[in-house]
Amino acid sequence: AGIRLYAVGEDGQVWTDWFDGALWHNWGPVHGGTFNQGTPITATPDGGAGVHLFGVGKDGRVWTNYWTGSTWTGWNPDVA
């Protein structure tokens, strides 16, 4: 287990960093998506290795991205 953080950078991308219990592992981008800096990003684990991210884009729509455990699926408008 560990801790994962998500934040929107000055470039409008979502960035992530994680702590494994001993070390932080450098910020990296969750590619794609454009958000206003300071936009809250909600992370919801799926019970396995995956996690869903949600944020309100510059267009006012809710956007989502999914971590499969090895890769991001890409930002898409939430149509649920």
Side-chain angles (χ1 to χ4, degrees):
I3 298 170
R4 189 166 288 274
L5 300 177
Y6 299 94
V8 178
E10 292 179 351
D11 60 0
Q13 285 195 80
V14 174
W15 289 76
T16 184
D17 195 2
W18 64 283
F19 183 72
D20 65 12
L23 299 169
W24 285 98
H25 292 267
N26 299 325
W27 287 94
V30 177
H31 295 288
T34 303
F35 300 89
N36 290 316
Q37 187 179 21
T39 297
I41 300 298
T42 300
T44 304
D46 70 0
V51 64
H52 297 270
L53 297 183
F54 299 91
V56 177
K58 290 183 176 182
D59 60 1
R61 296 172 71 185
V62 174
W63 288 78
T64 185
N65 199 341
Y66 179 69
W67 174 255
T68 65
S70 60
T71 189
W72 291 103
T73 60
W75 289 101
N76 294 290
D78 186 32
V79 294

